Amino acid sequence: MDPLSSLLSGIRAEGSVVSHAVLTAPWTVRFTDGAPLTMVSVLRGGTLLLPDGTRRAVGAGDTAVVRGPEPFLLADRPSTVDRPHAEYEIACFTDAECTAEDLGGIRWGTDPDGATALIVGAYRASGHRHERLLRALPRILVVNEDAEVCAWLETAAADAARLPAGSQALMDRLLDWALVCTLRTWFDRAGADAPGWYRGLADPVLGPALHAFHARPAEPWTVASLAGRAGVSRALFAKRFTEVMGRPPLAYLTECRMADAEALLTDTDLSIARIARSVGYADAFGFSAAFKRHKGLSPSTFRAAAAA
């Protein structure tokens, strides 16, 4: 599994808050879910994100991904906040599940009088594997979508809003797909600002080696064996790896293995010895020593602290 797929495996739109809202200005929508990620796609009209007192214009064809858990506000325009307007709030992850009726009168479907049409999804997280992904993202990222994609999304959302059989599953899968596409597009456009684990996958030298490592992290990989996968010399591979990834190959391998170990210690009850083998260490002693150097805590102490 490649790094992006692995990190996204801990965050899903299962039973997510999904709304296809068609709104007439002036309006605001406040998000207080504490969701790790919220995605807003503007299909028609325009809107504005105001997290932490900052403002970010998001117009028709834009998809914004907002990193939580801090609340944020969505408005049709800046002046709306200071004058009478329709107010909505999404806070469905805090106590109970939301239904369309819980959202205080947001109109559903394709109301031709609505100036702005949105698809909004808040994502749940299971475990801690996704946290490395969140650290690589800004508070807000915005990607512009093709008009045909927006039209297709609106048609799918309008169909789901009529609540036929399978509508929740349809929107969950749609939002999972949309999140992957949006993040991949943003990382591609970020260039040198994208995380090293993403840049490396596209590199013609490093890509084969990284895919091999992430597919089988438990193998006893060395710089020489990774260079063999890349089809280059050990020296050339190490130099290229450090240039692209910002750290030497073995440092990156250790970082990935420790991140996987953290997730396994936090999210499973596997023994220390089993976790050691799954992340590429021959025995629990060597793994424990490496983990303590990395985290400053032994694996058992880290697990106990996480549970507390």
Side-chain angles (χ1 to χ4, degrees):
M1 186 180 296
D2 65 86
L4 182 58
S5 297
S6 176
L7 298 176
L8 282 168
S9 67
I11 189 162
R12 282 287 186 270
E14 298 292 343
S16 64
V17 179
V18 180
S19 60
H20 175 220
V22 183
L23 308 174
T24 300
W27 54 264
T28 61
V29 180
R30 182 171 176 79
F31 293 80
T32 58
D33 273 313
L37 284 178
T38 302
M39 189 169 65
V40 180
S41 292
V42 183
L43 307 179
R44 288 186 281 116
T47 188
L48 195 77
L49 290 166
L50 296 96
D52 301 330
T54 62
R55 296 177 176 180
R56 180 73 179 268
V58 182
D62 288 339
T63 292
V65 176
V66 184
R67 176 168 51 83
E70 294 82 5
F72 67 96
L73 190 69
L74 200 64
D76 65 297
R77 62 182 59 191
S79 59
T80 293
V81 179
D82 301 317
R83 64 191 179 104
H85 62 272
E87 296 179 332
Y88 308 105
E89 182 171 294
I90 296 180
C92 305
F93 290 175
T94 53
D95 299 310
E97 298 296 327
C98 275
T99 64
E101 291 75 17
D102 294 327
L103 295 179
I106 289 181
R107 289 193 296 277
W108 301 87
T110 53
D111 183 344
D113 297 326
T116 303
L118 311 169
I119 293 180
V120 177
Y123 294 80
R124 295 180 185 275
S126 59
H128 295 74
R129 188 175 296 275
H130 69 286
E131 291 175 356
R132 188 178 174 209
L133 171 64
L134 299 188
R135 290 194 293 269
L137 300 178
R139 177 75 168 99
I140 305 171
L141 64 89
V142 179
V143 171
N144 187 264
E145 304 289 357
D146 186 87
E148 292 183 2
V149 173
C150 291
W152 178 79
L153 283 172
E154 183 162 17
T155 300
D159 178 69
R162 290 192 289 269
L163 303 180
S167 59
Q168 181 68 61
L170 170 65
M171 288 306 298
D172 284 347
R173 300 292 77 76
L174 177 64
L175 286 175
D176 284 339
W177 170 83
L179 180 63
V180 173
C181 291
T182 299
L183 291 180
R184 192 166 58 186
T185 298
W186 186 80
F187 282 136
D188 285 340
R189 295 176 183 174
D193 293 329
W197 49 260
Y198 189 86
R199 297 195 309 273
L201 292 172
D203 186 86
V205 174
L206 304 186
L210 287 172
H211 279 291
F213 165 68
H214 285 288
R216 298 183 300 279
E219 288 193 15
W221 294 103
T222 63
V223 176
S225 62
L226 290 171
R229 287 285 180 175
V232 298
S233 70
R234 182 183 183 281
L236 176 60
F237 179 81
K239 181 176 184 293
R240 179 68 177 170
F241 196 101
T242 303
E243 289 174 348
V244 174
M245 306 290 284
R247 64 198 67 116
L250 295 184
Y252 175 80
L253 265 60
T254 299
E255 177 184 304
C256 291
R257 285 168 167 161
M258 293 300 104
D260 287 344
E262 288 180 33
L264 292 170
L265 287 166
T266 305
D267 303 334
T268 75
D269 58 0
L270 294 175
S271 68
I272 303 298
R274 177 75 178 276
I275 292 173
R277 291 192 297 272
S278 71
V279 297
Y281 287 83
D283 56 65
F285 179 79
F287 164 68
S288 296
F291 190 88
K292 189 168 185 178
R293 285 195 301 272
H294 181 75
K295 292 295 295 183
L297 298 171
S298 68
S300 55
T301 303
F302 176 86
R303 169 175 272 173

